[in-house]
Structures are given as structure tokens and as C-alpha cells.
Amino acid sequence: MMAEVSASAPSTSATRCGFVALIGAPNVGKSTLVNALVGSKVTIVSRKVQTTRALIRGIVIEDNAQIILVDTPGIFSPKRRLDRAMVSTAWSGAYDADLVCVLLDAKAGVDEEADAILGKVASVDHEKILVINKIDLVPREKLLALAKTANDRLRFAGTFMISALSGDGVDDLRHTLAEMVPAGPFHYPEDQMSDAPMRHLAAEITREKIFRQLHQELPYQSTVETDSWTESKDKSIRIEQTIFVERESQRKIVLGKNGSTIKSIGAESRKEIAEIAGAPVHLFLFVKVRENWADDPDRYREMGLEFPKE
């Protein structure tokens, strides 16, 4: 379902290219939408909130346009230093983009978090598109009321109702984004889907598997780094990664009894990395304790975040 779009660029034979930031509360479905628009997995998707830490871009070719999707961390009330860095990164993505897609959870509606985001995104000068996600979870009447409430709150160039998970409405959104990005040459090769290096993407995939298996036992004080990536003559890839946690008790949780958990995480991650890399993968995982890594400026730089000084 789609409301009328009030502003879109005319179709021309010249190429178009632009950055589109996805802004929304945690767990609203931004990463799932990026993957649906691109048609391939470029960001991690987890039941845990705040899994996206850096501005990971997905790249979409639609007709004569290249759409560069900026998947920002979910915006929430920051408490820790890492939280503040993530929220700051999210808003920088919105201000630097050519267009902004504001995502709302159809079931949650305009709750306190969404209302705060609508209030702040009003200061962004670029055109804004409202994307109501998870439409399969609520009746049509509620969807129409939510769209009216949001549009009364803020002027949107267009409103889209989608299910990023099933793909419903995603094609219409992709087509409109292609029309609205500014005219200009492509920034990336046509066959490239993400500017995230494979080493970084591999670490993100392993981090997703950790969250998927240990979403109740393990807090967010964990990160994954790809230490080595070696391509052999037989085209297979040997990858060594280190999972860092803050306490010994967390290390034992990741390892599991007789190493069962780490083996399961490694098997799932290896399979998915191999699918994306298009080659056999030999993955070796290590778990180390790094106390207070969330206060280390070097770790923030590795994740593409600016280290907050206060």
C-alpha cells in the first residue's frame, strides 16, 4: 500500500545516485529493510535491539539509479558511552544523506521513542519519506490512522506501508527512492552491494550468530574482530576471528559446555560467510576477555564510531 508521493524527480536517461538514511527506533526493522531492498544480506538482523553499531551501507541498482542505503543504529535514550556514540552516529547519517526514510513499527505506533524521533528529524532539511513497517501485524484501520498521525506531526514527501520481512511493498519503495535520489554518476561499481569490507561483514555475521544463540544470557558488552583473512590456492578462505567479552563468566557462556556453543556459532557463521563469499570457508573462533573494551577509543574506531569524550 502506498500513499501518493508529492515530490519525486523526473525520469531521465542520465544516471542518478544518492544516499538514503534509514532512521528509527531500535528493532523497527531497518536492517531487514536494507537486506530486502538490496536483495542480499549486507547487515546483521537480530532479535536483540541495537545490533547495528556503525553506518553499514547497502547498495541498490534500480533502473538508471544507484541508491546507497545508510543503515543507522536505532535511536534510543543513551546511557552508556557506547550508547551515546551510536545515537550520535545515527543522527550524523540522517544529516549527511540526500533523503531520509523514517521507519515506524506498525504495532508500536507513535510511542514515546517514535515521537522523539519525529520531533528531531523535523530539523533535517532533506526530503523525508515515512515507512510504516510490519503491516502484517495490525488491521488496515490502524495503519491508516497511524499514517495520518505521523503526517500530521511532520511533512513527508511520501508514505509507504511495507513488510520488510515478507517483501510486501518493498518494490514500490525501491522504485520511488530511485526516482528521488539526485542526478549524478554512480559512486560504486554496479556489481557491488555494500561498502563494508568482507572482513567487517564476516565479523558482523559471527556477532549475529552470538546474539541469536545467546540473546538472553549474553549482554551487549561483546564484539567480534576478524584477525586474518587468507585466500588459498584452492580458492578456499581461512578466517580467524576473536570474540571479545568483558568478563570471564561471559567467556564461559560463549564457549559453552565442552565448547558446544562456540562450535555451533562457528558452524552457522561459516556457512553464511561461505554463501556470501562464494567460496569454501575455514573459520576459527577464539574467545578472549577484554575488560572495559566499551571505554577504549580504538574499539570505537574499529566499529566506525566516534568516541564520545564525555
Side-chain angles (χ1 to χ4, degrees):
M1 290 179 286
M2 180 185 75
E4 180 181 357
V5 177
S6 61
S8 62
S11 177
T12 68
S13 58
T15 58
R16 317 182 69 79
C17 183
F19 291 84
V20 178
L22 307 181
I23 289 288
N27 242 7
V28 76
K30 296 181 299 298
S31 294
T32 304
L33 177 57
V34 169
N35 294 334
L37 287 167
V38 175
S40 178
K41 183 161 189 168
V42 293
T43 67
I44 68 170
V45 180
S46 170
R47 286 177 292 177
K48 268 185 172 288
V49 296
Q50 301 145 28
T51 51
T52 302
R53 288 174 175 166
L55 298 177
I56 301 173
R57 297 174 175 87
I59 301 167
V60 182
I61 301 293
E62 176 77 5
D63 296 328
N64 61 337
Q66 186 174 70
I67 308 162
I68 305 163
L69 301 165
V70 183
D71 178 29
T72 64
I75 296 174
F76 53 99
S77 298
K79 297 179 177 64
R80 302 171 301 155
R81 187 182 300 237
L82 177 60
D83 297 341
R84 293 195 295 274
M86 290 164 63
V87 171
S88 175
T89 298
W91 282 115
S92 70
Y95 285 107
D96 293 342
D98 297 297
L99 300 169
V100 175
C101 285
V102 179
L103 270 73
L104 294 181
D105 185 316
K107 196 170 183 179
V110 182
D111 56 10
E112 186 175 346
E113 282 183 324
D115 187 64
I117 291 170
L118 290 173
K120 186 162 184 177
V121 81
S123 64
V124 177
D125 291 335
H126 325 304
E127 285 194 307
K128 294 167 278 287
I129 293 174
L130 175 65
V131 180
I132 300 176
N133 190 25
K134 307 180 184 179
I135 60 172
D136 50 320
L137 302 180
V138 298
R140 177 181 173 85
E141 294 74 21
K142 185 175 180 180
L143 291 173
L144 296 175
L146 174 57
K148 184 179 187 306
T149 298
N151 277 274
D152 287 345
R153 183 85 163 74
L154 187 65
R155 181 183 176 275
F156 288 100
T159 297
F160 290 80
M161 299 185 186
I162 70 163
S163 170
L165 195 58
S166 71
D168 186 15
V170 173
D171 288 346
D172 287 337
L173 175 59
R174 185 191 299 110
H175 180 70
T176 297
L177 293 177
E179 291 182 332
M180 294 182 69
V181 293
F186 287 3
H187 293 334
Y188 295 93
E190 290 190 39
D191 60 351
Q192 187 169 340
M193 294 182 300
S194 173
D195 74 346
M198 280 300 297
R199 291 169 65 110
H200 174 69
L201 181 56
E204 289 288 279
I205 289 170
T206 299
R207 192 159 65 91
E208 176 190 26
K209 305 311 174 190
I210 295 170
F211 288 151
R212 185 165 290 177
Q213 293 206 23
L214 301 171
H215 65 281
Q216 292 179 333
E217 296 91 340
L218 192 69
Y220 272 92
Q221 284 79 2
S222 64
T223 189
V224 179
E225 295 178 10
T226 300
D227 304 311
S228 67
W229 178 293
T230 307
E231 297 186 17
S232 304
K233 291 181 179 179
D234 63 359
K235 304 299 183 182
S236 67
I237 304 169
R238 177 189 170 93
I239 304 171
E240 294 186 5
Q241 294 180 333
T242 301
I243 301 166
F244 289 101
V245 294
E246 286 196 319
R247 295 189 296 275
E248 177 63 24
S249 60
Q250 296 171 355
R251 190 180 79 90
K252 292 179 179 177
I253 290 173
V254 175
L255 290 173
K257 187 176 181 180
N258 298 323
S260 59
T261 304
I262 192 71
K263 287 178 183 176
S264 178
I265 291 169
E268 289 188 11
S269 182
R270 179 178 64 250
K271 180 181 178 182
E272 191 160 311
I273 295 170
E275 289 176 356
I276 293 176
V281 167
H282 307 286
L283 177 63
F284 299 87
L285 299 180
F286 307 90
V287 188
K288 295 182 181 179
V289 176
R290 180 191 275 163
E291 294 183 359
N292 301 319
W293 72 264
D295 294 322
D296 184 350
D298 289 339
R299 304 286 80 78
Y300 284 71
R301 282 191 287 272
E302 288 169 2
M303 292 188 290
L305 299 173
E306 184 176 341
F307 183 73
K309 295 181 179 179
E310 297 182 357

